Amino acid sequence: MLEVSERGHAMPMSPYRRLTPFADAAKQRGVHVHHLNIGQPDIETPPVMLAAVQQANIRVLEYSPSAGYPSYRRTLATYYQRVGIPVEADDILVTTGGSEAIFFALMSCLNPGDELIVPEPFYGAYTAFAVATDVRIVPVTSHLSTGFMLPPLADFERCITPRTKALLLCTPNNPTGYVYSRAEMEQLKDLCLRHNLYLLSDEAYREFCYDRDFVSALHLSGADDHIVVLDTISKRYSACGARIGAFVTKNKALQQAAFKFAQMRVSPPGLAQVLAEAASELPDTYFDHTKAEYLTRRDLMVRRLQAMPGVECPVPGGAFYVMAQLPIDDCDTFCRWLLESFSHQHQTVMLTPASGFYATPGLGKQETRMAYVLNCEALDAALNCLEHALAEYPGRTVAQRPTCPTAGVAS
């Protein structure tokens, strides 16, 4: 009998999409579903970028170069230089979204069976990429009670074995919203230098830091050969569907290895690079409005959540996510119940259970990630639904952890 591969069986469902069938069924029943489960912004994609595609004078849509159009790579290098990241066009490989950048990094930096240290909770897709590349994730746990700040360096040291080849960090963090400080980034850089590890830095949300300056791994000195920045325009310009990202490193041997994987898939999307290159026409003040809007939404969500009995959540310093502990028995059960059995004024809310962001079994059982990607009116309505749901849920329980202190929370 034909069988699916072991890899196919091991591949996890997306933590933010696996409840989609239940959301679709709720909509078919006439229930409006507020989506706080996925980081799909409702901010308008800049019209100048869309116009560049609409007005492109293209007779034949050809393959682009495997590394991406030279003009776009030069434009992207200028963007990085403007935010203090000293790279040139040759240091950049254009990828099909940030996802492909992650895939290229794991394929280029680690062998099958090698170990990748990742602070948890972490972006759920990292697990899928580890399965696809036969890499073992070794988690180091951060905690909601400290605002998900970097765990002690000794926790990382204890995880290092002869099979450890890299450390993967996301800053600002998805799912926690934590922004790693320069001191924390320097600690991780020094750790990688001492143990000869790669430092892979997922920086998809760099523009959205609210209480602390952003520090890129490539802002750090003396470790260029160890560092790979993984990037995407998806969140930066609210262009998730463009599928344009970047693999950025000054390590020439690593860049060449990744380029061979890029040739395997032939080329990144051509029209999407036209769209992305047009971002250079945006004014320097473009992010001011977007950042202010997300900050307003963050403050609304945190204020509402912290006012709900039994709910604990630190204040995220960046990105557009909140991790919260709810007074419930099991978040996977609760999130499904929201879609199957609950409605408030013919509305409900779709959340992401946090269990999909942890590698350590049993963690995140009472936690959820919420994305503040809706306008404030819709966000307020979604939080009304959540507040009523928590009051009605049959599995409501008393939260076990103490209230998060203000000190140590992302600031």
Side-chain angles (χ1 to χ4, degrees):
M1 185 177 71
L2 290 174
E3 293 185 2
V4 172
S5 68
E6 292 180 5
R7 184 183 289 110
H9 283 298
M11 183 64 64
M13 293 287 287
S14 165
Y16 15 86
R17 293 179 182 265
R18 67 187 180 204
L19 294 176
T20 298
F22 303 103
D24 291 343
K27 293 171 187 176
Q28 290 172 4
R29 296 193 306 269
V31 177
H32 178 79
V33 179
H34 295 284
H35 285 272
L36 303 184
N37 61 300
I38 194 165
Q40 172 55 66
D42 67 353
I43 302 290
E44 182 183 64
T45 306
V48 67
M49 297 174 68
L50 296 173
V53 176
Q54 294 161 350
Q55 299 167 13
N57 183 19
I58 297 174
R59 187 176 63 84
V60 177
L61 189 58
E62 300 177 337
Y63 293 123
S64 69
S66 293
Y69 287 124
S71 60
Y72 176 52
R73 293 166 69 202
R74 289 193 295 269
T75 297
L76 195 52
T78 299
Y79 157 78
Y80 287 130
Q81 292 161 12
R82 197 163 59 244
V83 296
I85 298 175
V87 297
E88 304 297 332
D90 287 346
D91 301 322
I92 300 167
L93 179 67
V94 180
T95 60
T96 306
S99 297
E100 191 175 69
I102 298 167
F103 177 70
F104 285 175
L106 298 194
M107 292 294 286
S108 302
C109 297
L110 294 95
N111 292 315
D114 281 346
E115 295 173 353
L116 173 69
I117 295 177
V118 190
E120 66 177 355
F122 52 74
Y123 176 47
Y126 293 161
T127 301
F129 286 113
V131 170
T133 57
D134 196 17
V135 165
R136 178 172 174 257
I137 286 181
V138 178
V140 177
T141 307
S142 62
H143 301 280
L144 185 141
S145 60
T146 66
F148 297 105
M149 66 188 298
L150 190 74
L153 211 60
D155 292 359
F156 289 88
E157 294 274 8
R158 281 194 291 270
C159 291
I160 295 174
T161 75
R163 296 310 300 262
T164 306
K165 294 298 187 298
L167 189 151
L168 173 56
L169 188 76
C170 180
T171 185
N173 188 269
N174 175 8
T176 69
Y178 187 79
V179 180
Y180 293 95
S181 68
R182 177 172 286 276
E184 289 171 323
M185 296 292 287
E186 290 283 0
Q187 282 185 313
L188 294 177
K189 180 200 78 173
D190 292 344
L191 179 78
C192 290
L193 289 174
R194 283 199 307 277
H195 295 279
N196 198 31
L197 308 176
Y198 289 108
L199 176 56
L200 313 179
S201 185
D202 183 344
E203 301 179 1
Y205 300 90
R206 77 165 56 82
E207 277 74 28
F208 307 122
C209 297
Y210 312 117
D211 309 310
R212 171 182 284 171
D213 290 338
F214 171 74
V215 179
S216 168
L218 281 170
H219 284 149
L220 310 175
S221 61
D224 283 352
D225 279 349
H226 294 257
I227 291 170
V228 182
V229 164
L230 314 170
D231 203 8
T232 174
I233 70 164
S234 291
K235 313 306 165 107
R236 184 180 308 147
Y237 302 116
S238 194
C240 299
R243 310 313 302 138
I244 289 293
F247 174 100
V248 186
T249 184
K250 300 180 81 66
N251 183 321
K252 296 305 180 186
L254 200 56
Q255 188 68 251
Q256 184 60 31
F259 178 70
K260 289 186 282 187
F261 289 109
Q263 288 183 316
M264 175 187 71
R265 60 83 164 107
V266 185
S267 67
L271 283 177
Q273 290 178 79
V274 172
L275 177 140
E277 188 170 343
S280 63
E281 300 177 33
L282 294 170
D284 292 340
T285 57
Y286 167 73
F287 291 110
D288 294 348
H289 167 75
T290 308
K291 184 175 174 180
E293 175 64 21
Y294 283 134
L295 179 59
T296 300
R297 296 177 185 188
R298 180 201 72 169
D299 292 346
L300 168 62
M301 178 173 274
V302 170
R303 183 175 69 251
R304 290 292 311 274
L305 288 171
Q306 291 184 344
M308 295 180 194
V311 174
E312 309 288 348
C313 73
V315 181
F320 37 66
Y321 305 104
V322 165
M323 282 280 283
Q325 179 179 282
L326 306 180
I328 56 175
D329 55 355
D330 182 272
C331 200
D332 288 86
T333 303
F334 175 67
C335 290
R336 182 167 171 173
W337 175 86
L338 282 170
L339 299 171
E340 282 192 310
S341 306
F342 170 82
S343 72
H344 170 66
Q345 298 178 347
H346 305 291
Q347 302 174 63
T348 191
V349 59
M350 187 175 181
L351 310 178
T352 299
S355 57
F357 301 118
Y358 287 90
T360 302
L363 293 186
K365 187 176 180 181
Q366 293 178 293
E367 296 173 7
T368 181
R369 186 197 75 170
M370 287 172 270
Y372 44 94
V373 292
L374 306 180
N375 64 73
C376 285
E377 182 179 359
L379 194 58
D380 211 32
L383 293 166
N384 285 339
C385 287
L386 178 59
E387 187 168 19
H388 281 85
L390 288 172
E392 296 179 24
Y393 179 56
R396 181 178 173 87
T397 185
V398 176
Q400 299 300 311
R401 293 176 183 165
T403 303
C404 293
T406 301
V409 170
S411 59

